[in-house]
PDB file of all heavy atoms in Angstrom:
ATOM      1  N   ASN A  30     -29.474   3.725 -12.892  1.00 97.00           N
ATOM      2  CA  ASN A  30     -28.895   4.737 -12.059  1.00 97.00           C
ATOM      3  C   ASN A  30     -27.501   4.343 -11.413  1.00 97.00           C
ATOM      4  O   ASN A  30     -26.576   5.104 -11.468  1.00 97.00           O
ATOM      5  CB  ASN A  30     -29.884   5.187 -11.061  1.00 97.00           C
ATOM      6  CG  ASN A  30     -30.924   6.135 -11.590  1.00 97.00           C
ATOM      7  OD1 ASN A  30     -30.607   7.345 -11.813  1.00 97.00           O
ATOM      8  ND2 ASN A  30     -32.125   5.627 -11.751  1.00 97.00           N
ATOM      9  N   TYR A  31     -27.508   3.078 -10.953  1.00 97.00           N
ATOM     10  CA  TYR A  31     -26.338   2.659 -10.340  1.00 97.00           C
ATOM     11  C   TYR A  31     -25.205   2.393 -11.363  1.00 97.00           C
ATOM     12  O   TYR A  31     -24.055   2.845 -11.123  1.00 97.00           O
ATOM     13  CB  TYR A  31     -26.466   1.393  -9.530  1.00 97.00           C
ATOM     14  CG  TYR A  31     -25.413   0.744  -8.811  1.00 97.00           C
ATOM     15  CD1 TYR A  31     -24.930   1.216  -7.668  1.00 97.00           C
ATOM     16  CD2 TYR A  31     -24.639  -0.298  -9.404  1.00 97.00           C
ATOM     17  CE1 TYR A  31     -23.806   0.694  -7.058  1.00 97.00           C
ATOM     18  CE2 TYR A  31     -23.506  -0.790  -8.847  1.00 97.00           C
ATOM     19  CZ  TYR A  31     -23.161  -0.323  -7.601  1.00 97.00           C
ATOM     20  OH  TYR A  31     -21.904  -0.895  -7.039  1.00 97.00           O
ATOM     21  N   VAL A  32     -25.506   1.626 -12.355  1.00 97.00           N
ATOM     22  CA  VAL A  32     -24.433   1.173 -13.328  1.00 97.00           C
ATOM     23  C   VAL A  32     -23.873   2.399 -14.155  1.00 97.00           C
ATOM     24  O   VAL A  32     -22.800   2.593 -14.313  1.00 97.00           O
ATOM     25  CB  VAL A  32     -24.934   0.036 -14.211  1.00 97.00           C
ATOM     26  CG1 VAL A  32     -23.918  -0.232 -15.260  1.00 97.00           C
ATOM     27  CG2 VAL A  32     -25.138  -1.216 -13.404  1.00 97.00           C
ATOM     28  N   PHE A  33     -24.911   3.072 -14.794  1.00 98.00           N
ATOM     29  CA  PHE A  33     -24.461   4.060 -15.770  1.00 98.00           C
ATOM     30  C   PHE A  33     -24.406   5.483 -15.341  1.00 98.00           C
ATOM     31  O   PHE A  33     -23.455   6.150 -15.640  1.00 98.00           O
ATOM     32  CB  PHE A  33     -25.400   3.989 -17.059  1.00 98.00           C
ATOM     33  CG  PHE A  33     -25.274   2.660 -17.769  1.00 98.00           C
ATOM     34  CD1 PHE A  33     -26.348   1.701 -17.652  1.00 98.00           C
ATOM     35  CD2 PHE A  33     -24.142   2.239 -18.494  1.00 98.00           C
ATOM     36  CE1 PHE A  33     -26.379   0.447 -18.240  1.00 98.00           C
ATOM     37  CE2 PHE A  33     -24.151   1.059 -19.131  1.00 98.00           C
ATOM     38  CZ  PHE A  33     -25.139   0.208 -18.955  1.00 98.00           C
ATOM     39  N   LEU A  34     -25.315   5.847 -14.508  1.00 98.00           N
ATOM     40  CA  LEU A  34     -25.161   7.270 -14.102  1.00 98.00           C
ATOM     41  C   LEU A  34     -24.186   7.448 -12.950  1.00 98.00           C
ATOM     42  O   LEU A  34     -23.296   8.324 -13.129  1.00 98.00           O
ATOM     43  CB  LEU A  34     -26.742   7.727 -13.540  1.00 98.00           C
ATOM     44  CG  LEU A  34     -27.451   8.412 -14.626  1.00 98.00           C
ATOM     45  CD1 LEU A  34     -27.862   7.280 -15.674  1.00 98.00           C
ATOM     46  CD2 LEU A  34     -28.821   8.965 -13.934  1.00 98.00           C
ATOM     47  N   GLN A  35     -24.229   6.586 -11.997  1.00 98.00           N
ATOM     48  CA  GLN A  35     -23.328   6.639 -10.781  1.00 98.00           C
ATOM     49  C   GLN A  35     -21.902   6.094 -11.422  1.00 98.00           C
ATOM     50  O   GLN A  35     -20.925   6.727 -10.995  1.00 98.00           O
ATOM     51  CB  GLN A  35     -23.793   5.794  -9.644  1.00 98.00           C
ATOM     52  CG  GLN A  35     -24.999   6.295  -8.956  1.00 98.00           C
ATOM     53  CD  GLN A  35     -25.357   5.489  -7.833  1.00 98.00           C
ATOM     54  OE1 GLN A  35     -24.561   4.828  -7.109  1.00 98.00           O
ATOM     55  NE2 GLN A  35     -26.601   5.300  -7.550  1.00 98.00           N
ATOM     56  N   GLY A  36     -21.911   5.226 -12.236  1.00 98.00           N
ATOM     57  CA  GLY A  36     -20.677   4.593 -12.757  1.00 98.00           C
ATOM     58  C   GLY A  36     -19.902   5.636 -13.491  1.00 98.00           C
ATOM     59  O   GLY A  36     -18.708   5.636 -13.589  1.00 98.00           O
ATOM     60  N   ASN A  37     -20.515   6.599 -14.009  1.00 98.00           N
ATOM     61  CA  ASN A  37     -19.841   7.757 -14.771  1.00 98.00           C
ATOM     62  C   ASN A  37     -19.921   9.051 -14.010  1.00 98.00           C
ATOM     63  O   ASN A  37     -19.443  10.068 -14.513  1.00 98.00           O
ATOM     64  CB  ASN A  37     -20.519   8.017 -16.134  1.00 98.00           C
ATOM     65  CG  ASN A  37     -20.142   6.976 -17.255  1.00 98.00           C
ATOM     66  OD1 ASN A  37     -19.085   6.906 -17.725  1.00 98.00           O
ATOM     67  ND2 ASN A  37     -21.159   6.062 -17.602  1.00 98.00           N
ATOM     68  N   ASP A  38     -20.371   8.932 -12.735  1.00 98.00           N
ATOM     69  CA  ASP A  38     -20.545  10.134 -11.805  1.00 98.00           C
ATOM     70  C   ASP A  38     -21.183  11.344 -12.594  1.00 98.00           C
ATOM     71  O   ASP A  38     -20.799  12.514 -12.579  1.00 98.00           O
ATOM     72  CB  ASP A  38     -18.983  10.595 -11.452  1.00 98.00           C
ATOM     73  CG  ASP A  38     -19.066  11.597 -10.289  1.00 98.00           C
ATOM     74  OD1 ASP A  38     -19.872  11.601  -9.540  1.00 98.00           O
ATOM     75  OD2 ASP A  38     -18.099  12.365 -10.207  1.00 98.00           O
ATOM     76  N   LEU A  39     -22.351  11.060 -13.222  1.00 98.00           N
ATOM     77  CA  LEU A  39     -22.955  12.061 -14.047  1.00 98.00           C
ATOM     78  C   LEU A  39     -23.652  13.178 -13.302  1.00 98.00           C
ATOM     79  O   LEU A  39     -23.623  14.217 -13.815  1.00 98.00           O
ATOM     80  CB  LEU A  39     -23.949  11.328 -15.060  1.00 98.00           C
ATOM     81  CG  LEU A  39     -23.270  10.481 -16.103  1.00 98.00           C
ATOM     82  CD1 LEU A  39     -24.451   9.961 -17.082  1.00 98.00           C
ATOM     83  CD2 LEU A  39     -22.268  11.221 -16.917  1.00 98.00           C
ATOM     84  N   GLU A  40     -24.246  12.833 -12.195  1.00 97.00           N
ATOM     85  CA  GLU A  40     -24.851  13.963 -11.436  1.00 97.00           C
ATOM     86  C   GLU A  40     -23.920  15.062 -11.103  1.00 97.00           C
ATOM     87  O   GLU A  40     -24.182  16.193 -11.358  1.00 97.00           O
ATOM     88  CB  GLU A  40     -25.522  13.443 -10.171  1.00 97.00           C
ATOM     89  CG  GLU A  40     -26.378  14.522  -9.448  1.00 97.00           C
ATOM     90  CD  GLU A  40     -27.176  13.948  -8.294  1.00 97.00           C
ATOM     91  OE1 GLU A  40     -27.316  12.802  -8.160  1.00 97.00           O
ATOM     92  OE2 GLU A  40     -27.589  14.911  -7.477  1.00 97.00           O
ATOM     93  N   ASN A  41     -22.798  14.751 -10.656  1.00 97.00           N
ATOM     94  CA  ASN A  41     -21.714  15.686 -10.261  1.00 97.00           C
ATOM     95  C   ASN A  41     -21.185  16.315 -11.487  1.00 97.00           C
ATOM     96  O   ASN A  41     -20.949  17.608 -11.541  1.00 97.00           O
ATOM     97  CB  ASN A  41     -20.558  15.040  -9.376  1.00 97.00           C
ATOM     98  CG  ASN A  41     -21.042  14.752  -7.989  1.00 97.00           C
ATOM     99  OD1 ASN A  41     -21.858  15.419  -7.451  1.00 97.00           O
ATOM    100  ND2 ASN A  41     -20.533  13.606  -7.586  1.00 97.00           N
ATOM    101  N   ARG A  42     -20.926  15.595 -12.506  1.00 98.00           N
ATOM    102  CA  ARG A  42     -20.404  16.134 -13.745  1.00 98.00           C
ATOM    103  C   ARG A  42     -21.309  17.126 -14.419  1.00 98.00           C
ATOM    104  O   ARG A  42     -20.973  18.175 -15.004  1.00 98.00           O
ATOM    105  CB  ARG A  42     -19.941  15.054 -14.642  1.00 98.00           C
ATOM    106  CG  ARG A  42     -18.781  14.276 -14.166  1.00 98.00           C
ATOM    107  CD  ARG A  42     -18.523  13.021 -14.981  1.00 98.00           C
ATOM    108  NE  ARG A  42     -17.825  13.447 -16.249  1.00 98.00           N
ATOM    109  CZ  ARG A  42     -17.623  12.501 -17.181  1.00 98.00           C
ATOM    110  NH1 ARG A  42     -18.011  11.291 -17.095  1.00 98.00           N
ATOM    111  NH2 ARG A  42     -16.947  12.888 -18.292  1.00 98.00           N
ATOM    112  N   PHE A  43     -22.640  16.840 -14.411  1.00 98.00           N
ATOM    113  CA  PHE A  43     -23.708  17.684 -14.959  1.00 98.00           C
ATOM    114  C   PHE A  43     -23.776  18.991 -14.139  1.00 98.00           C
ATOM    115  O   PHE A  43     -23.880  20.061 -14.933  1.00 98.00           O
ATOM    116  CB  PHE A  43     -25.077  16.943 -15.024  1.00 98.00           C
ATOM    117  CG  PHE A  43     -25.174  15.868 -15.954  1.00 98.00           C
ATOM    118  CD1 PHE A  43     -26.362  15.114 -15.880  1.00 98.00           C
ATOM    119  CD2 PHE A  43     -24.257  15.553 -16.941  1.00 98.00           C
ATOM    120  CE1 PHE A  43     -26.544  14.029 -16.824  1.00 98.00           C
ATOM    121  CE2 PHE A  43     -24.351  14.549 -17.827  1.00 98.00           C
ATOM    122  CZ  PHE A  43     -25.561  13.801 -17.713  1.00 98.00           C
ATOM    123  N   LYS A  44     -23.694  18.907 -12.899  1.00 96.00           N
ATOM    124  CA  LYS A  44     -23.815  20.073 -12.043  1.00 96.00           C
ATOM    125  C   LYS A  44     -22.555  21.037 -12.382  1.00 96.00           C
ATOM    126  O   LYS A  44     -22.747  22.307 -12.402  1.00 96.00           O
ATOM    127  CB  LYS A  44     -23.836  19.736 -10.620  1.00 96.00           C
ATOM    128  CG  LYS A  44     -25.106  19.122 -10.087  1.00 96.00           C
ATOM    129  CD  LYS A  44     -25.000  18.778  -8.605  1.00 96.00           C
ATOM    130  CE  LYS A  44     -26.221  18.248  -8.086  1.00 96.00           C
ATOM    131  NZ  LYS A  44     -26.005  17.763  -6.587  1.00 96.00           N
ATOM    132  N   ASP A  45     -21.457  20.477 -12.530  1.00 93.00           N
ATOM    133  CA  ASP A  45     -20.245  21.214 -12.683  1.00 93.00           C
ATOM    134  C   ASP A  45     -19.802  21.462 -14.106  1.00 93.00           C
ATOM    135  O   ASP A  45     -18.702  21.941 -14.315  1.00 93.00           O
ATOM    136  CB  ASP A  45     -19.066  20.507 -11.943  1.00 93.00           C
ATOM    137  CG  ASP A  45     -19.360  20.416 -10.506  1.00 93.00           C
ATOM    138  OD1 ASP A  45     -20.003  21.268  -9.901  1.00 93.00           O
ATOM    139  OD2 ASP A  45     -18.783  19.483  -9.808  1.00 93.00           O
ATOM    140  N   ILE A  46     -20.648  21.251 -15.099  1.00 93.00           N
ATOM    141  CA  ILE A  46     -20.245  21.316 -16.403  1.00 93.00           C
ATOM    142  C   ILE A  46     -19.921  22.762 -16.808  1.00 93.00           C
ATOM    143  O   ILE A  46     -20.546  23.740 -16.471  1.00 93.00           O
ATOM    144  CB  ILE A  46     -21.444  20.861 -17.382  1.00 93.00           C
ATOM    145  CG1 ILE A  46     -20.922  20.802 -18.856  1.00 93.00           C
ATOM    146  CG2 ILE A  46     -22.732  21.826 -17.208  1.00 93.00           C
ATOM    147  CD1 ILE A  46     -21.967  20.085 -19.751  1.00 93.00           C
ATOM    148  N   THR A  47     -18.849  22.815 -17.500  1.00 85.00           N
ATOM    149  CA  THR A  47     -18.258  24.183 -18.050  1.00 85.00           C
ATOM    150  C   THR A  47     -18.459  24.245 -19.574  1.00 85.00           C
ATOM    151  O   THR A  47     -18.547  25.468 -20.026  1.00 85.00           O
ATOM    152  CB  THR A  47     -16.839  24.419 -17.748  1.00 85.00           C
ATOM    153  OG1 THR A  47     -16.086  23.292 -18.239  1.00 85.00           O
ATOM    154  CG2 THR A  47     -16.713  24.369 -16.177  1.00 85.00           C
ATOM    155  N   ASN A  48     -18.591  23.331 -20.236  1.00 86.00           N
ATOM    156  CA  ASN A  48     -18.763  23.302 -21.661  1.00 86.00           C
ATOM    157  C   ASN A  48     -20.357  23.515 -22.006  1.00 86.00           C
ATOM    158  O   ASN A  48     -21.198  23.289 -21.240  1.00 86.00           O
ATOM    159  CB  ASN A  48     -18.212  22.037 -22.412  1.00 86.00           C
ATOM    160  CG  ASN A  48     -16.748  21.874 -22.248  1.00 86.00           C
ATOM    161  OD1 ASN A  48     -16.062  22.927 -22.084  1.00 86.00           O
ATOM    162  ND2 ASN A  48     -16.270  20.669 -22.118  1.00 86.00           N
ATOM    163  N   GLN A  49     -20.572  23.914 -23.250  1.00 93.00           N
ATOM    164  CA  GLN A  49     -21.904  23.964 -23.688  1.00 93.00           C
ATOM    165  C   GLN A  49     -22.649  22.715 -24.027  1.00 93.00           C
ATOM    166  O   GLN A  49     -23.830  22.631 -24.095  1.00 93.00           O
ATOM    167  CB  GLN A  49     -21.927  24.825 -25.018  1.00 93.00           C
ATOM    168  CG  GLN A  49     -21.451  26.364 -24.787  1.00 93.00           C
ATOM    169  CD  GLN A  49     -22.459  27.137 -23.966  1.00 93.00           C
ATOM    170  OE1 GLN A  49     -23.643  26.988 -24.141  1.00 93.00           O
ATOM    171  NE2 GLN A  49     -21.881  27.991 -23.064  1.00 93.00           N
ATOM    172  N   ARG A  50     -21.820  21.654 -24.151  1.00 96.00           N
ATOM    173  CA  ARG A  50     -22.387  20.321 -24.572  1.00 96.00           C
ATOM    174  C   ARG A  50     -21.721  19.241 -23.852  1.00 96.00           C
ATOM    175  O   ARG A  50     -20.648  19.275 -23.667  1.00 96.00           O
ATOM    176  CB  ARG A  50     -22.176  20.199 -26.112  1.00 96.00           C
ATOM    177  CG  ARG A  50     -23.226  19.235 -26.680  1.00 96.00           C
ATOM    178  CD  ARG A  50     -22.948  19.045 -28.183  1.00 96.00           C
ATOM    179  NE  ARG A  50     -24.245  18.959 -28.946  1.00 96.00           N
ATOM    180  CZ  ARG A  50     -24.260  18.388 -30.176  1.00 96.00           C
ATOM    181  NH1 ARG A  50     -23.210  17.989 -30.799  1.00 96.00           N
ATOM    182  NH2 ARG A  50     -25.424  18.245 -30.764  1.00 96.00           N
ATOM    183  N   PHE A  51     -22.525  18.266 -23.453  1.00 98.00           N
ATOM    184  CA  PHE A  51     -22.000  16.968 -22.854  1.00 98.00           C
ATOM    185  C   PHE A  51     -22.542  15.804 -23.722  1.00 98.00           C
ATOM    186  O   PHE A  51     -23.715  15.672 -23.903  1.00 98.00           O
ATOM    187  CB  PHE A  51     -22.497  16.845 -21.429  1.00 98.00           C
ATOM    188  CG  PHE A  51     -21.862  15.744 -20.693  1.00 98.00           C
ATOM    189  CD1 PHE A  51     -20.771  16.005 -19.774  1.00 98.00           C
ATOM    190  CD2 PHE A  51     -22.275  14.421 -20.813  1.00 98.00           C
ATOM    191  CE1 PHE A  51     -20.144  14.953 -19.149  1.00 98.00           C
ATOM    192  CE2 PHE A  51     -21.684  13.314 -20.208  1.00 98.00           C
ATOM    193  CZ  PHE A  51     -20.619  13.601 -19.235  1.00 98.00           C
ATOM    194  N   THR A  52     -21.597  15.048 -24.223  1.00 98.00           N
ATOM    195  CA  THR A  52     -22.023  13.809 -25.006  1.00 98.00           C
ATOM    196  C   THR A  52     -21.810  12.543 -24.334  1.00 98.00           C
ATOM    197  O   THR A  52     -20.791  12.194 -23.803  1.00 98.00           O
ATOM    198  CB  THR A  52     -21.113  13.874 -26.381  1.00 98.00           C
ATOM    199  OG1 THR A  52     -21.318  15.133 -27.045  1.00 98.00           O
ATOM    200  CG2 THR A  52     -21.480  12.721 -27.312  1.00 98.00           C
ATOM    201  N   ILE A  53     -22.979  11.818 -24.475  1.00 98.00           N
ATOM    202  CA  ILE A  53     -22.928  10.299 -23.983  1.00 98.00           C
ATOM    203  C   ILE A  53     -23.117   9.612 -25.269  1.00 98.00           C
ATOM    204  O   ILE A  53     -23.983   9.816 -26.164  1.00 98.00           O
ATOM    205  CB  ILE A  53     -24.072  10.078 -23.030  1.00 98.00           C
ATOM    206  CG1 ILE A  53     -23.942  10.901 -21.735  1.00 98.00           C
ATOM    207  CG2 ILE A  53     -24.181   8.532 -22.802  1.00 98.00           C
ATOM    208  CD1 ILE A  53     -25.159  10.740 -20.807  1.00 98.00           C
ATOM    209  N   ILE A  54     -22.248   8.528 -25.456  1.00 98.00           N
ATOM    210  CA  ILE A  54     -22.376   7.600 -26.447  1.00 98.00           C
ATOM    211  C   ILE A  54     -22.828   6.291 -25.827  1.00 98.00           C
ATOM    212  O   ILE A  54     -22.118   5.745 -24.975  1.00 98.00           O
ATOM    213  CB  ILE A  54     -21.134   7.439 -27.436  1.00 98.00           C
ATOM    214  CG1 ILE A  54     -20.850   8.833 -28.054  1.00 98.00           C
ATOM    215  CG2 ILE A  54     -21.493   6.508 -28.565  1.00 98.00           C
ATOM    216  CD1 ILE A  54     -19.696   8.739 -29.027  1.00 98.00           C
ATOM    217  N   GLU A  55     -23.780   5.538 -26.434  1.00 98.00           N
ATOM    218  CA  GLU A  55     -24.287   4.277 -25.782  1.00 98.00           C
ATOM    219  C   GLU A  55     -24.279   3.168 -26.869  1.00 98.00           C
ATOM    220  O   GLU A  55     -24.611   3.385 -27.995  1.00 98.00           O
ATOM    221  CB  GLU A  55     -25.770   4.514 -25.339  1.00 98.00           C
ATOM    222  CG  GLU A  55     -26.490   3.230 -24.861  1.00 98.00           C
ATOM    223  CD  GLU A  55     -27.875   3.500 -24.477  1.00 98.00           C
ATOM    224  OE1 GLU A  55     -28.543   4.193 -25.344  1.00 98.00           O
ATOM    225  OE2 GLU A  55     -28.248   3.108 -23.434  1.00 98.00           O
ATOM    226  N   THR A  56     -23.905   2.022 -26.544  1.00 97.00           N
ATOM    227  CA  THR A  56     -23.983   0.872 -27.385  1.00 97.00           C
ATOM    228  C   THR A  56     -25.243   0.008 -26.882  1.00 97.00           C
ATOM    229  O   THR A  56     -25.246  -0.455 -25.814  1.00 97.00           O
ATOM    230  CB  THR A  56     -22.829  -0.081 -27.303  1.00 97.00           C
ATOM    231  OG1 THR A  56     -22.583  -0.466 -25.934  1.00 97.00           O
ATOM    232  CG2 THR A  56     -21.659   0.692 -27.743  1.00 97.00           C
ATOM    233  N   GLY A  57     -26.370   0.056 -27.694  1.00 95.00           N
ATOM    234  CA  GLY A  57     -27.542  -0.710 -27.432  1.00 95.00           C
ATOM    235  C   GLY A  57     -28.645   0.235 -26.734  1.00 95.00           C
ATOM    236  O   GLY A  57     -28.684   0.363 -25.478  1.00 95.00           O
ATOM    237  N   PHE A  58     -29.501   0.830 -27.539  1.00 97.00           N
ATOM    238  CA  PHE A  58     -30.579   1.741 -27.051  1.00 97.00           C
ATOM    239  C   PHE A  58     -31.615   0.947 -26.434  1.00 97.00           C
ATOM    240  O   PHE A  58     -32.212   1.391 -25.428  1.00 97.00           O
ATOM    241  CB  PHE A  58     -31.112   2.437 -28.189  1.00 97.00           C
ATOM    242  CG  PHE A  58     -32.108   3.565 -27.842  1.00 97.00           C
ATOM    243  CD1 PHE A  58     -31.635   4.763 -27.174  1.00 97.00           C
ATOM    244  CD2 PHE A  58     -33.462   3.456 -28.024  1.00 97.00           C
ATOM    245  CE1 PHE A  58     -32.488   5.745 -26.706  1.00 97.00           C
ATOM    246  CE2 PHE A  58     -34.351   4.460 -27.519  1.00 97.00           C
ATOM    247  CZ  PHE A  58     -33.875   5.517 -27.036  1.00 97.00           C
ATOM    248  N   GLY A  59     -31.950  -0.276 -26.979  1.00 96.00           N
ATOM    249  CA  GLY A  59     -32.922  -1.067 -26.309  1.00 96.00           C
ATOM    250  C   GLY A  59     -34.335  -0.317 -26.041  1.00 96.00           C
ATOM    251  O   GLY A  59     -34.974   0.244 -27.021  1.00 96.00           O
ATOM    252  N   THR A  60     -34.786  -0.350 -24.779  1.00 97.00           N
ATOM    253  CA  THR A  60     -36.077   0.234 -24.478  1.00 97.00           C
ATOM    254  C   THR A  60     -35.909   1.707 -24.294  1.00 97.00           C
ATOM    255  O   THR A  60     -36.838   2.405 -23.989  1.00 97.00           O
ATOM    256  CB  THR A  60     -36.640  -0.309 -23.289  1.00 97.00           C
ATOM    257  OG1 THR A  60     -35.685  -0.190 -22.185  1.00 97.00           O
ATOM    258  CG2 THR A  60     -36.867  -1.914 -23.360  1.00 97.00           C
ATOM    259  N   GLY A  61     -34.729   2.274 -24.205  1.00 98.00           N
ATOM    260  CA  GLY A  61     -34.456   3.726 -23.964  1.00 98.00           C
ATOM    261  C   GLY A  61     -34.407   4.006 -22.605  1.00 98.00           C
ATOM    262  O   GLY A  61     -34.297   5.186 -22.193  1.00 98.00           O
ATOM    263  N   LEU A  62     -34.288   3.141 -21.682  1.00 98.00           N
ATOM    264  CA  LEU A  62     -34.333   3.334 -20.253  1.00 98.00           C
ATOM    265  C   LEU A  62     -33.117   4.183 -19.860  1.00 98.00           C
ATOM    266  O   LEU A  62     -33.190   5.130 -19.128  1.00 98.00           O
ATOM    267  CB  LEU A  62     -34.400   2.041 -19.447  1.00 98.00           C
ATOM    268  CG  LEU A  62     -34.171   2.234 -17.963  1.00 98.00           C
ATOM    269  CD1 LEU A  62     -35.330   3.000 -17.348  1.00 98.00           C
ATOM    270  CD2 LEU A  62     -34.171   0.766 -17.248  1.00 98.00           C
ATOM    271  N   ASN A  63     -31.945   3.795 -20.372  1.00 98.00           N
ATOM    272  CA  ASN A  63     -30.724   4.604 -19.950  1.00 98.00           C
ATOM    273  C   ASN A  63     -30.864   6.100 -20.548  1.00 98.00           C
ATOM    274  O   ASN A  63     -30.512   7.012 -19.712  1.00 98.00           O
ATOM    275  CB  ASN A  63     -29.516   3.984 -20.611  1.00 98.00           C
ATOM    276  CG  ASN A  63     -29.195   2.626 -20.115  1.00 98.00           C
ATOM    277  OD1 ASN A  63     -29.688   2.184 -19.136  1.00 98.00           O
ATOM    278  ND2 ASN A  63     -28.345   1.834 -20.840  1.00 98.00           N
ATOM    279  N   PHE A  64     -31.451   6.182 -21.595  1.00 98.00           N
ATOM    280  CA  PHE A  64     -31.719   7.549 -22.127  1.00 98.00           C
ATOM    281  C   PHE A  64     -32.598   8.409 -21.283  1.00 98.00           C
ATOM    282  O   PHE A  64     -32.415   9.547 -20.804  1.00 98.00           O
ATOM    283  CB  PHE A  64     -32.181   7.616 -23.517  1.00 98.00           C
ATOM    284  CG  PHE A  64     -32.780   8.974 -24.027  1.00 98.00           C
ATOM    285  CD1 PHE A  64     -31.922  10.038 -24.327  1.00 98.00           C
ATOM    286  CD2 PHE A  64     -34.098   9.101 -24.194  1.00 98.00           C
ATOM    287  CE1 PHE A  64     -32.345  11.220 -24.708  1.00 98.00           C
ATOM    288  CE2 PHE A  64     -34.661  10.336 -24.481  1.00 98.00           C
ATOM    289  CZ  PHE A  64     -33.802  11.422 -24.798  1.00 98.00           C
ATOM    290  N   LEU A  65     -33.787   7.848 -20.866  1.00 98.00           N
ATOM    291  CA  LEU A  65     -34.754   8.416 -19.991  1.00 98.00           C
ATOM    292  C   LEU A  65     -34.111   8.909 -18.694  1.00 98.00           C
ATOM    293  O   LEU A  65     -34.333  10.070 -18.110  1.00 98.00           O
ATOM    294  CB  LEU A  65     -35.907   7.494 -19.758  1.00 98.00           C
ATOM    295  CG  LEU A  65     -36.671   7.145 -20.950  1.00 98.00           C
ATOM    296  CD1 LEU A  65     -37.892   6.191 -20.552  1.00 98.00           C
ATOM    297  CD2 LEU A  65     -37.260   8.374 -21.736  1.00 98.00           C
ATOM    298  N   CYS A  66     -33.265   7.974 -18.110  1.00 98.00           N
ATOM    299  CA  CYS A  66     -32.656   8.269 -16.750  1.00 98.00           C
ATOM    300  C   CYS A  66     -31.585   9.303 -16.873  1.00 98.00           C
ATOM    301  O   CYS A  66     -31.617  10.295 -16.077  1.00 98.00           O
ATOM    302  CB  CYS A  66     -32.050   7.029 -16.266  1.00 98.00           C
ATOM    303  SG  CYS A  66     -33.259   5.721 -15.677  1.00 98.00           S
TER     304      CYS A  66
END
């Protein structure tokens, strides 16, 4: 949450989204924790 969600200001950007789609690209899926969050 600190590194990736807050680091990209995602909560505010998700709330204010104007487009139909928001794309995140990740290097290293691993356990999928970043995706779940």
Side-chain angles (χ1 to χ4, degrees):
N30 278 288
Y31 179 81
V32 174
F33 296 108
L34 273 64
Q35 294 179 34
N37 283 290
D38 193 27
L39 290 189
E40 184 173 347
N41 290 325
R42 294 171 74 188
F43 287 172
K44 286 178 181 177
D45 298 334
I46 189 171
T47 56
N48 297 329
Q49 293 292 318
R50 199 180 218 204
F51 190 99
T52 298
I53 295 171
I54 303 182
E55 173 187 49
T56 59
F58 188 73
T60 62
L62 174 58
N63 297 341
F64 166 71
L65 298 179
C66 289

